[in-house]
Amino acid sequence: IPTILGILVLQLFISIYSYPNTTIGNLDVSLKTKHQIARMLKEKENAPISMQIKNRVYIYPSKSIGISVDTNSTINSIFKGHNIFPLNMYYFAKAYFKPTSHLATITFSDEFEKRFKQTIFDFTPRKEEVTFDPSSSEFLYTLYDDKYILDLGSLEFQIKQNFWSLTPKQTFT
């Protein structure tokens, strides 16, 4: 009877808590309840997104750029299979040795695409110049152009993978 009681208590624990070494992107959710994870996701969702492009950091409120987290779907993916006895005990023990990372279920609205598809990040150090070379008697035109447009697919993936702190892949213009 003590063995059966121990197995039932362990089964209850495993069904309530996430597996050890579990993350959502870079957010550690190891051994957390669904309620704790939901609170952590809401905190992340309400936090601004920080993007580093070259040597500059841009901070955007996630709601204002059309990003939202589907908390229920994300939590369901973490707890999928937690109630299947005895496999859940095997996966729980295995999780101590093999970390598991999940991607948050994030929705990108049309506002997100509109905001970043039209945004050009300009790092041009100075405007173009026209100079005269007396030795060759020629006018020289120099264009200083260092502009970036973000690759939206890459940006969406990095937001999901890194969960709010990222260095997006740039497209040069």
Side-chain angles (χ1 to χ4, degrees):
I1 291 198
T3 304
I4 294 173
L5 186 59
I7 290 173
L8 289 175
V9 169
L10 183 60
Q11 173 65 24
L12 179 64
F13 179 84
I14 291 173
S15 66
I16 293 174
Y17 290 93
S18 63
Y19 293 153
N21 292 319
T22 301
T23 59
I24 302 170
N26 59 10
L27 180 67
D28 185 8
V29 294
S30 300
L31 301 173
K32 303 278 189 260
T33 64
K34 291 179 180 183
H35 178 73
Q36 290 171 319
I37 294 171
R39 193 177 70 243
M40 292 169 77
L41 289 173
K42 285 297 176 197
E43 286 174 10
K44 273 288 199 180
E45 184 177 28
N46 292 326
I49 292 180
S50 171
M51 289 193 292
Q52 180 177 345
I53 302 172
K54 282 190 89 172
N55 59 347
R56 295 182 190 164
V57 176
Y58 298 89
I59 298 174
Y60 297 98
S62 58
K63 299 270 185 198
S64 71
I65 58 173
I67 299 175
S68 61
V69 177
D70 184 339
T71 304
N72 290 332
S73 178
T74 302
I75 289 172
N76 288 341
S77 74
I78 292 169
F79 283 88
K80 185 177 180 181
H82 273 237
N83 293 325
I84 302 172
F85 180 80
L87 283 177
N88 58 356
M89 291 190 179
Y90 167 74
Y91 289 122
F92 184 85
K94 184 179 173 183
Y96 274 104
F97 306 102
K98 185 176 181 196
T100 303
S101 185
H102 297 267
L103 293 178
T105 305
I106 298 177
T107 304
F108 299 93
S109 72
D110 292 338
E111 176 64 29
F112 175 81
E113 184 175 339
K114 189 174 18 172
R115 166 69 72 97
F116 290 108
K117 197 170 194 175
Q118 298 173 1
T119 302
I120 296 174
F121 297 90
D122 190 352
F123 292 87
T124 305
R126 55 189 164 178
K127 300 291 181 191
E128 63 268 356
E129 291 179 346
V130 178
T131 56
F132 180 72
D133 182 9
S135 62
S136 65
S137 297
E138 292 181 341
F139 282 98
L140 301 173
Y141 175 76
T142 307
L143 175 65
Y144 300 99
D145 194 25
D146 192 11
K147 297 178 182 177
Y148 296 86
I149 297 175
L150 299 179
D151 175 44
L152 288 180
S154 172
L155 179 59
E156 287 179 5
F157 178 75
Q158 287 191 39
I159 288 172
K160 288 179 181 180
Q161 187 174 25
N162 298 312
F163 207 48
W164 264 231
S165 177
L166 58 145
T167 305
K169 177 181 174 184
Q170 300 101 10
T171 304
F172 302 98
T173 62

